Amino acid sequence: MVDAGGRIGVTPHGVRRMTPTGSFASNPTTIVWFGRRIADEFSVPGTHRILDVGCGDGTLLLDLAPRLPHASLAGVDYSHENMLVAHDRVATSPHRDRIRLHEGDYLTVHDGTFDLIIAQSSLQDIPVPVGTLAAKLVQDLAPTGRVVFTMPSRCLYNVVLNGFRRLLRACRSPFTDRAILSVASRLHPEHSTAFLRDRVEYMYFVVRHHEASMRTTLERLGLRTIAIEPMPQTSWGQPRHNLTVMSR
């Protein structure tokens, strides 16, 4: 069923989920920042297997591959369109033999354990209880592994933004889509219209999970927190995120 520029998908768990039409181009500024932080400070010595949960079009995997030349990398994403782009990009990469892609619901992917699990602003949109998602991350983590993720923090800014998104969602129409794109074009003249149109859908997304709830749940499951730091905000329409690093 079509919903004003997006579509409603059904995960294998039977949960209805709204996803954008077409592929989602990653923000290069965010990817470079996140990739550098992972490779320089948060990867485990001797990292051999890396999993990117919500890998999108594969940009982060392709950024990390030359930074971590001895690692094999895997990515999973629910969007078929994202996976088509990712497969094309990986196929032309000199690192293609070290990158594997899975299309579908992360909770149904079983590919062994990983030394490093990363998730760049994806965990908050997975429509399952936070305990279920946290248990899956712990299950997939190697005995000496680390989880590095960015998620919206619990703060007043995000409470207001989430409320505004609920309001937009309740009255969504082609007019509100155009209004969001118009405001975004004025705030971000450095980006193309196509790039901004790709992100209109996300102004209707209401955050399901926050960094604090994910972190405390993972701690209850036996992980310990190594670092928490604010993530650079690239847009007024983007929730404020924390980057969190945890390990066994």
Side-chain angles (χ1 to χ4, degrees):
M1 100 181 245
V2 176
D3 182 7
R7 76 166 181 270
I8 301 296
V10 180
T11 73
H13 298 283
V15 181
R16 307 185 89 192
R17 176 182 180 183
M18 186 164 64
T19 59
T21 299
S23 63
F24 182 78
S26 304
N27 187 315
T29 302
T30 301
I31 292 298
V32 169
W33 176 84
F34 193 48
R36 183 180 296 121
R37 301 290 285 132
I38 291 169
D40 293 348
E41 298 189 37
F42 299 134
S43 59
V44 180
T47 293
H48 299 294
R49 303 194 76 216
I50 299 172
L51 174 66
D52 183 3
V53 180
C55 65
D57 60 6
T59 299
L60 182 56
L61 292 171
L62 292 167
D63 179 84
L64 285 174
R67 297 181 190 269
L68 300 170
H70 302 296
S72 64
L73 303 99
V76 56
D77 199 277
Y78 177 77
S79 166
H80 177 64
E81 290 81 2
N82 276 339
M83 283 289 96
L84 289 177
V85 175
H87 277 292
D88 286 345
R89 299 184 69 191
V90 169
T92 60
S93 167
H95 309 286
R96 57 186 174 274
D97 293 338
R98 295 192 290 120
I99 301 175
R100 186 172 58 262
L101 299 171
H102 302 280
E103 179 180 336
D105 185 343
Y106 166 56
L107 271 72
T108 68
V109 173
H110 302 285
D111 192 18
T113 59
F114 295 86
D115 304 296
L116 182 62
I117 300 176
I118 56 178
Q120 200 275 308
S121 194
S122 59
L123 299 180
Q124 68 268 19
D125 293 326
I126 298 179
V128 297
V130 67
T132 302
L133 182 53
K136 172 63 171 167
L137 292 169
V138 172
Q139 173 187 317
D140 291 345
L141 192 63
T144 59
R146 289 184 175 182
V147 179
V148 183
F149 59 90
T150 66
M151 290 181 71
S153 59
R154 288 194 184 277
C155 64
L156 179 59
Y157 184 92
N158 286 348
V159 170
V160 173
L161 180 60
N162 230 24
F164 181 63
R165 286 182 172 188
R166 288 182 189 277
L167 179 62
L168 283 175
R169 191 168 169 174
C171 61
R172 183 169 188 178
S173 69
F175 172 78
T176 58
D177 284 4
R178 289 193 298 270
I180 291 169
L181 181 59
S182 176
V183 172
S185 297
R186 287 175 171 80
L187 291 175
H188 299 284
E190 71 276 14
H191 293 307
S192 68
T193 299
F195 180 89
L196 296 174
R197 184 180 293 114
D198 201 26
R199 282 154 172 75
V200 166
E201 185 73 44
Y202 289 84
M203 282 303 296
Y204 298 100
F205 276 16
V206 176
V207 173
R208 293 184 175 94
H209 310 305
H210 291 84
E211 181 272 336
S213 60
M214 178 59 69
R215 172 168 37 85
T216 55
T217 304
L218 288 169
E219 287 174 343
R220 286 197 296 270
L221 292 174
L223 300 194
R224 61 187 177 91
T225 301
I226 296 175
I228 305 173
E229 63 180 69
M231 175 182 167
Q233 190 178 22
T234 59
S235 167
W236 288 105
Q238 177 193 42
R240 292 179 177 172
H241 285 56
N242 283 340
L243 181 150
T244 304
V245 185
M246 305 187 73
S247 72
R248 294 278 191 186

